């Protein structure tokens, strides 16, 4: 069973995993993902900001990640 991730960031960002777009622009609610560990890259091209974080998705649960880009 898949899990979900809810993503937000300041400022807004595009979120990708291995080049695949997970969220075109934050915030995104309940994006379906396979269980396990995922490294997500948050990128705001307007301000030249880029940061990665790892989330662990659990089957049937929603993981929330809020990121302040630096």
């Amino acid at each position: 069973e898949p899990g979900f991730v809810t993503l937000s960031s300041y400022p807004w960002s595009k979120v990708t995993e291995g080049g695949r777009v997970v969220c075109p622009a934050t915030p995104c609610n309940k994006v379906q993902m396979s269980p396990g560990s995922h490294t997500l890259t948050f990128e705001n091209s307007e301000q030249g900001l880029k940061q990665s974080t790892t989330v662990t998705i659990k089957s049937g649960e929603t993981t929330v990640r809020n990121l302040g880009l630096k």
Side-chain angles (χ1 to χ4, degrees):
E1 183 183 357
F4 302 91
V5 65
T6 292
L7 304 167
S8 64
S9 67
Y10 181 82
W12 71 269
S13 59
K14 176 174 80 170
V15 184
T16 58
E17 179 187 27
R20 179 182 73 90
V21 176
V22 175
C23 172
T26 56
C28 288
N29 293 314
K30 288 196 83 172
V31 178
Q32 186 173 307
M33 296 188 82
S34 60
S37 190
H38 298 268
T39 299
L40 304 177
T41 301
F42 290 70
E43 187 171 6
N44 179 302
S45 54
E46 286 179 355
Q47 297 184 28
L49 300 171
K50 188 174 186 178
Q51 193 170 331
S52 293
T53 188
T54 300
V55 296
T56 300
I57 305 298
K58 294 181 181 171
S59 183
E61 295 183 18
T62 299
T63 301
V64 176
R65 182 68 79 227
N66 300 309
L67 205 61
L69 300 181
K70 300 173 189 159

Coordinates of all heavy atoms in Angstrom, one line a residue:
E1 N 0.8 -1.2 0.0 CA 0.0 0.0 0.0 C 0.9 1.2 0.0 O 1.8 1.3 0.8 CB -0.9 0.0 1.2 CG -1.9 1.1 1.3 CD -2.7 1.1 2.6 OE1 -2.6 0.2 3.4 OE2 -3.5 2.1 2.7
P2 N 0.6 2.2 -0.8 CA 1.4 3.4 -0.9 C 1.2 4.3 0.3 O 0.3 4.1 1.1 CB 0.9 4.1 -2.2 CG -0.5 3.7 -2.3 CD -0.5 2.3 -1.8
G3 N 2.1 5.2 0.5 CA 2.0 6.2 1.5 C 1.9 7.6 0.9 O 1.8 7.7 -0.4
F4 N 1.9 8.6 1.6 CA 1.7 10.0 1.1 C 2.7 11.0 1.7 O 3.1 10.7 2.8 CB 0.3 10.5 1.4 CG -0.8 9.6 0.8 CD1 -1.3 8.5 1.5 CD2 -1.2 9.7 -0.5 CE1 -2.3 7.7 1.0 CE2 -2.2 8.9 -1.1 CZ -2.7 7.8 -0.3
V5 N 2.9 12.1 1.0 CA 3.8 13.1 1.6 C 3.1 14.5 1.3 O 2.5 14.7 0.2 CB 5.2 13.1 1.0 CG1 5.2 13.3 -0.5 CG2 6.1 14.0 1.8
T6 N 3.1 15.3 2.3 CA 2.6 16.7 2.2 C 3.8 17.6 2.3 O 4.5 17.5 3.3 CB 1.5 17.0 3.3 OG1 0.3 16.2 3.0 CG2 1.1 18.4 3.3
L7 N 4.0 18.5 1.3 CA 5.2 19.3 1.2 C 4.9 20.8 1.2 O 3.9 21.2 0.5 CB 5.9 18.9 -0.1 CG 6.3 17.5 -0.3 CD1 6.8 17.2 -1.7 CD2 7.4 17.1 0.7
S8 N 5.7 21.5 2.0 CA 5.6 23.0 1.9 C 7.0 23.5 2.1 O 7.8 22.9 2.7 CB 4.6 23.6 2.9 OG 5.0 23.3 4.2
S9 N 7.2 24.7 1.6 CA 8.5 25.4 1.7 C 8.4 26.9 1.7 O 7.4 27.4 1.2 CB 9.5 24.9 0.7 OG 9.1 25.4 -0.6
Y10 N 9.4 27.6 2.2 CA 9.4 29.0 2.1 C 10.8 29.4 1.6 O 11.8 29.0 2.2 CB 9.2 29.7 3.4 CG 9.2 31.2 3.2 CD1 8.1 31.9 2.7 CD2 10.4 31.9 3.4 CE1 8.2 33.3 2.5 CE2 10.5 33.3 3.2 CZ 9.4 34.0 2.7 OH 9.4 35.3 2.5
P11 N 11.0 30.1 0.5 CA 9.9 30.4 -0.4 C 9.4 29.2 -1.2 O 9.9 28.1 -1.0 CB 10.6 31.4 -1.4 CG 12.0 31.0 -1.4 CD 12.3 30.5 0.0
W12 N 8.4 29.4 -2.1 CA 7.9 28.2 -2.8 C 9.0 27.5 -3.5 O 10.1 28.1 -3.8 CB 6.8 28.7 -3.8 CG 7.4 29.5 -5.0 CD1 7.6 30.8 -5.0 CD2 8.0 29.0 -6.2 NE1 8.3 31.2 -6.2 CE2 8.5 30.1 -6.9 CE3 8.1 27.7 -6.7 CZ2 9.1 29.9 -8.2 CZ3 8.7 27.6 -8.0 CH2 9.2 28.7 -8.7
S13 N 8.8 26.3 -3.9 CA 9.8 25.6 -4.7 C 9.2 24.4 -5.5 O 8.1 24.0 -5.2 CB 10.9 25.0 -3.7 OG 10.3 24.1 -2.8
K14 N 9.9 24.0 -6.5 CA 9.6 22.8 -7.2 C 10.3 21.6 -6.5 O 11.4 21.8 -6.1 CB 10.1 22.9 -8.7 CG 9.9 21.6 -9.5 CD 10.2 21.8 -10.9 CE 11.7 21.7 -11.1 NZ 12.1 21.7 -12.6
V15 N 9.6 20.5 -6.3 CA 10.2 19.4 -5.6 C 10.4 18.2 -6.6 O 9.4 17.8 -7.3 CB 9.3 18.9 -4.4 CG1 10.0 17.8 -3.7 CG2 9.0 20.1 -3.5
T16 N 11.6 17.7 -6.7 CA 11.9 16.5 -7.6 C 12.5 15.4 -6.8 O 13.1 15.6 -5.7 CB 12.8 17.0 -8.7 OG1 14.0 17.5 -8.1 CG2 12.2 18.0 -9.6
E17 N 12.4 14.2 -7.4 CA 13.2 13.1 -6.8 C 13.8 12.4 -8.0 O 13.1 11.9 -8.9 CB 12.2 12.1 -6.1 CG 13.0 10.9 -5.6 CD 12.1 9.8 -5.1 OE1 10.9 9.7 -5.5 OE2 12.6 9.0 -4.2
G18 N 15.1 12.4 -8.1 CA 15.9 11.8 -9.2 C 15.5 12.3 -10.5 O 15.4 11.6 -11.5
G19 N 15.2 13.6 -10.6 CA 14.8 14.3 -11.9 C 13.3 14.2 -12.2 O 12.8 14.9 -13.1
R20 N 12.5 13.4 -11.4 CA 11.1 13.3 -11.6 C 10.4 14.3 -10.7 O 10.7 14.4 -9.5 CB 10.6 11.9 -11.2 CG 9.1 11.7 -11.4 CD 8.7 10.2 -11.0 NE 8.8 10.1 -9.5 CZ 7.8 10.3 -8.7 NH1 6.6 10.7 -9.1 NH2 7.9 10.0 -7.4
V21 N 9.5 15.1 -11.3 CA 8.8 16.1 -10.5 C 7.7 15.5 -9.6 O 6.9 14.7 -10.1 CB 8.1 17.2 -11.5 CG1 7.3 18.2 -10.7 CG2 9.1 17.9 -12.3
V22 N 7.9 15.7 -8.3 CA 7.0 15.2 -7.3 C 5.9 16.3 -7.1 O 4.7 15.9 -6.9 CB 7.7 14.9 -6.0 CG1 6.8 14.5 -4.9 CG2 8.8 13.8 -6.2
C23 N 6.3 17.5 -7.1 CA 5.4 18.7 -6.8 C 5.9 19.8 -7.6 O 7.0 20.3 -7.4 CB 5.5 19.0 -5.3 SG 4.6 20.5 -4.8
P24 N 5.0 20.3 -8.6 CA 5.5 21.4 -9.5 C 5.7 22.7 -8.7 O 6.6 23.5 -9.1 CB 4.4 21.5 -10.5 CG 3.2 20.7 -10.0 CD 3.7 19.8 -8.9
A25 N 4.9 23.0 -7.7 CA 5.1 24.2 -6.8 C 4.5 23.9 -5.5 O 3.3 23.5 -5.4 CB 4.5 25.4 -7.5
T26 N 5.3 24.1 -4.4 CA 4.8 23.9 -3.1 C 3.8 25.1 -2.8 O 3.9 26.1 -3.3 CB 5.9 23.9 -2.0 OG1 6.6 25.1 -2.1 CG2 6.8 22.7 -2.2
P27 N 2.7 24.8 -1.9 CA 2.5 23.5 -1.2 C 1.8 22.5 -2.0 O 1.0 22.8 -2.9 CB 1.6 24.0 0.0 CG 0.9 25.2 -0.6 CD 1.8 25.8 -1.6
C28 N 2.0 21.2 -1.6 CA 1.4 20.1 -2.3 C 0.9 19.2 -1.1 O 1.6 18.9 -0.2 CB 2.3 19.3 -3.1 SG 2.7 20.1 -4.7
N29 N -0.4 18.7 -1.3 CA -1.0 17.9 -0.2 C -1.2 16.4 -0.7 O -1.6 16.2 -1.8 CB -2.3 18.4 0.2 CG -2.2 19.8 0.9 OD1 -1.4 19.9 1.8 ND2 -3.0 20.7 0.5
K30 N -0.8 15.5 0.2 CA -1.0 14.1 0.0 C -0.6 13.5 -1.4 O -1.4 13.0 -2.2 CB -2.5 13.7 0.2 CG -2.8 13.8 1.7 CD -4.1 13.1 2.1 CE -3.8 11.6 2.3 NZ -5.0 10.9 2.8
V31 N 0.7 13.7 -1.7 CA 1.3 13.2 -3.0 C 1.6 11.7 -2.7 O 2.3 11.4 -1.7 CB 2.5 13.9 -3.4 CG1 3.2 13.3 -4.6 CG2 2.3 15.4 -3.6
Q32 N 1.0 10.8 -3.5 CA 1.2 9.4 -3.3 C 2.7 9.0 -3.7 O 3.2 9.4 -4.7 CB 0.3 8.6 -4.2 CG 0.3 7.1 -4.0 CD -0.8 6.4 -4.8 OE1 -2.0 6.8 -4.7 NE2 -0.4 5.5 -5.6
M33 N 3.3 8.2 -2.8 CA 4.7 7.7 -3.0 C 4.8 6.3 -2.5 O 4.0 5.9 -1.6 CB 5.7 8.6 -2.3 CG 5.7 10.0 -2.8 SD 7.1 11.0 -2.1 CE 8.4 10.4 -3.2
S34 N 5.7 5.6 -3.0 CA 6.0 4.2 -2.5 C 6.6 4.3 -1.1 O 7.4 5.2 -0.8 CB 6.8 3.4 -3.5 OG 8.1 4.1 -3.6
P35 N 6.3 3.3 -0.3 CA 6.9 3.2 1.0 C 8.5 3.1 0.9 O 9.0 2.6 0.0 CB 6.4 2.0 1.7 CG 5.1 1.7 0.9 CD 5.4 2.2 -0.5
G36 N 9.2 3.7 1.9 CA 10.6 3.6 1.9 C 11.2 5.0 2.1 O 10.5 6.0 2.3
S37 N 12.5 5.1 1.9 CA 13.3 6.3 2.0 C 13.4 7.0 0.6 O 13.7 6.4 -0.4 CB 14.6 6.0 2.6 OG 15.3 7.2 2.9
H38 N 13.1 8.3 0.6 CA 13.1 9.1 -0.6 C 13.9 10.4 -0.4 O 13.7 11.1 0.6 CB 11.7 9.5 -1.1 CG 10.9 8.4 -1.4 ND1 10.8 7.8 -2.7 CD2 10.0 7.6 -0.7 CE1 9.9 6.8 -2.7 NE2 9.5 6.7 -1.5
T39 N 14.9 10.7 -1.3 CA 15.6 12.0 -1.2 C 14.9 13.0 -2.2 O 14.9 12.8 -3.4 CB 17.1 11.8 -1.6 OG1 17.6 10.9 -0.6 CG2 17.8 13.1 -1.5
L40 N 14.4 14.1 -1.6 CA 13.7 15.1 -2.4 C 14.5 16.3 -2.5 O 15.1 16.7 -1.5 CB 12.3 15.4 -1.7 CG 11.4 14.2 -1.4 CD1 10.1 14.7 -0.7 CD2 11.0 13.5 -2.7
T41 N 14.5 16.9 -3.7 CA 15.2 18.2 -3.9 C 14.2 19.3 -4.1 O 13.4 19.2 -4.9 CB 16.1 18.1 -5.1 OG1 17.1 17.0 -4.9 CG2 16.9 19.4 -5.3
F42 N 14.3 20.3 -3.2 CA 13.5 21.5 -3.3 C 14.3 22.6 -4.0 O 15.4 22.9 -3.6 CB 13.1 22.0 -1.9 CG 12.2 21.1 -1.1 CD1 12.6 19.9 -0.6 CD2 10.9 21.5 -0.8 CE1 11.7 19.1 0.1 CE2 10.0 20.7 -0.1 CZ 10.5 19.5 0.4
E43 N 13.7 23.2 -5.0 CA 14.5 24.2 -5.8 C 13.6 25.4 -6.2 O 12.5 25.2 -6.7 CB 15.0 23.5 -7.1 CG 15.9 24.4 -7.9 CD 16.6 23.6 -9.1 OE1 16.2 22.5 -9.3 OE2 17.4 24.3 -9.7
N44 N 14.1 26.6 -5.9 CA 13.5 27.8 -6.3 C 14.4 28.5 -7.2 O 15.4 29.1 -6.8 CB 13.2 28.7 -5.1 CG 12.5 30.0 -5.5 OD1 13.1 30.8 -6.2 ND2 11.4 30.3 -4.9
S45 N 14.1 28.4 -8.5 CA 15.0 28.9 -9.5 C 15.1 30.5 -9.6 O 16.1 31.1 -9.9 CB 14.7 28.4 -10.9 OG 13.3 28.7 -11.2
E46 N 14.0 31.1 -9.1 CA 13.9 32.6 -9.1 C 15.0 33.2 -8.2 O 15.6 34.2 -8.5 CB 12.5 33.1 -8.7 CG 11.5 32.9 -9.7 CD 10.1 33.4 -9.2 OE1 10.0 33.8 -8.0 OE2 9.2 33.4 -10.0
Q47 N 15.2 32.5 -7.0 CA 16.1 33.0 -6.0 C 17.4 32.2 -6.0 O 18.3 32.4 -5.1 CB 15.4 33.0 -4.7 CG 14.2 34.0 -4.6 CD 13.6 34.1 -3.2 OE1 14.3 34.0 -2.2 NE2 12.4 34.4 -3.2
G48 N 17.5 31.2 -6.8 CA 18.7 30.4 -6.9 C 18.9 29.5 -5.7 O 20.1 29.2 -5.3
L49 N 17.8 29.0 -5.1 CA 17.9 28.2 -3.9 C 17.7 26.8 -4.2 O 16.8 26.4 -5.0 CB 16.9 28.7 -2.9 CG 17.0 30.1 -2.4 CD1 15.8 30.5 -1.6 CD2 18.3 30.3 -1.6
K50 N 18.4 25.9 -3.6 CA 18.3 24.4 -3.8 C 18.7 23.7 -2.5 O 19.8 24.0 -2.0 CB 19.2 24.0 -5.0 CG 18.9 22.6 -5.4 CD 19.8 22.4 -6.7 CE 19.5 21.0 -7.3 NZ 20.2 20.8 -8.5
Q51 N 17.9 22.8 -2.1 CA 18.2 22.1 -0.9 C 17.5 20.7 -0.9 O 16.4 20.5 -1.5 CB 17.6 22.8 0.3 CG 18.1 22.4 1.7 CD 17.7 23.3 2.8 OE1 17.5 24.5 2.6 NE2 17.5 22.8 4.0
S52 N 18.2 19.7 -0.4 CA 17.7 18.3 -0.4 C 17.4 17.8 1.0 O 18.0 18.3 1.9 CB 18.7 17.3 -1.1 OG 18.8 17.6 -2.4
T53 N 16.4 17.0 1.1 CA 16.0 16.4 2.4 C 15.5 15.0 2.1 O 15.1 14.7 1.0 CB 14.9 17.2 3.1 OG1 14.7 16.7 4.4 CG2 13.6 17.2 2.4
T54 N 15.7 14.1 3.1 CA 15.2 12.7 3.0 C 14.0 12.5 3.8 O 13.9 13.0 5.0 CB 16.3 11.8 3.5 OG1 17.5 12.0 2.6 CG2 15.9 10.3 3.3
V55 N 13.0 11.9 3.2 CA 11.7 11.6 3.9 C 11.6 10.1 3.9 O 12.0 9.4 3.0 CB 10.5 12.2 3.3 CG1 10.6 13.7 3.4 CG2 10.3 11.8 1.8
T56 N 11.0 9.5 5.0 CA 10.7 8.1 5.0 C 9.1 8.0 5.0 O 8.4 8.5 5.8 CB 11.2 7.5 6.4 OG1 12.6 7.7 6.4 CG2 10.9 6.0 6.4
I57 N 8.7 7.3 3.9 CA 7.3 7.1 3.7 C 6.9 5.7 4.3 O 7.5 4.7 4.0 CB 7.0 7.1 2.2 CG1 7.5 8.4 1.5 CG2 5.5 6.9 1.9 CD1 6.9 9.7 2.0
K58 N 5.8 5.8 5.1 CA 5.2 4.5 5.6 C 3.9 4.2 5.0 O 3.1 5.1 4.7 CB 5.1 4.7 7.1 CG 6.4 4.8 7.9 CD 6.2 4.9 9.4 CE 7.5 5.1 10.0 NZ 7.4 5.4 11.5
S59 N 3.7 3.0 4.7 CA 2.5 2.5 4.0 C 1.2 3.0 4.7 O 1.1 2.8 5.9 CB 2.5 1.0 4.0 OG 1.4 0.5 3.3
G60 N 0.3 3.7 4.0 CA -0.9 4.1 4.5 C -0.9 5.4 5.3 O -1.9 5.8 5.9
E61 N 0.3 6.0 5.5 CA 0.5 7.1 6.4 C 0.9 8.4 5.6 O 1.4 8.2 4.5 CB 1.5 6.9 7.5 CG 1.1 5.8 8.5 CD 2.1 5.6 9.6 OE1 3.0 6.5 9.8 OE2 2.1 4.6 10.2
T62 N 0.7 9.5 6.1 CA 1.1 10.8 5.5 C 2.2 11.4 6.2 O 2.1 11.6 7.5 CB -0.1 11.8 5.4 OG1 -1.2 11.2 4.7 CG2 0.3 13.1 4.8
T63 N 3.3 11.6 5.6 CA 4.5 12.3 6.1 C 4.5 13.8 5.7 O 4.2 14.1 4.6 CB 5.8 11.6 5.6 OG1 5.8 10.3 6.0 CG2 7.0 12.3 6.2
V64 N 4.7 14.7 6.7 CA 4.7 16.1 6.4 C 6.1 16.6 6.5 O 6.9 16.3 7.4 CB 3.8 16.8 7.4 CG1 3.8 18.3 7.2 CG2 2.4 16.3 7.4
R65 N 6.5 17.4 5.5 CA 7.8 18.0 5.5 C 7.7 19.5 5.1 O 7.1 19.9 4.1 CB 8.7 17.4 4.4 CG 10.1 17.9 4.4 CD 10.9 17.6 5.7 NE 11.4 16.3 5.6 CZ 11.4 15.4 6.6 NH1 10.8 15.8 7.8 NH2 11.8 14.2 6.5
N66 N 8.1 20.4 6.0 CA 8.1 21.8 5.8 C 9.6 22.3 5.8 O 10.3 21.9 6.7 CB 7.4 22.6 6.9 CG 5.9 22.1 7.0 OD1 5.2 22.1 6.1 ND2 5.5 21.7 8.2
L67 N 10.0 23.0 4.7 CA 11.4 23.4 4.6 C 11.5 24.9 4.4 O 10.8 25.4 3.5 CB 11.9 22.6 3.4 CG 13.4 22.3 3.4 CD1 13.9 21.5 4.6 CD2 13.8 21.6 2.1
G68 N 12.5 25.5 5.1 CA 12.8 26.9 4.9 C 14.1 26.8 4.1 O 15.1 26.4 4.6
L69 N 14.1 27.2 2.8 CA 15.2 27.2 1.9 C 16.2 28.3 2.3 O 15.9 29.4 2.6 CB 14.8 27.3 0.5 CG 13.9 26.3 -0.1 CD1 13.6 26.5 -1.5 CD2 14.5 24.9 0.1
K70 N 17.5 27.9 2.2 CA 18.6 28.9 2.5 C 19.5 29.0 1.4 O 19.7 28.1 0.7 CB 19.4 28.4 3.8 CG 18.5 28.3 5.0 CD 19.3 27.7 6.1 CE 18.4 27.3 7.3 NZ 18.9 26.4 8.2

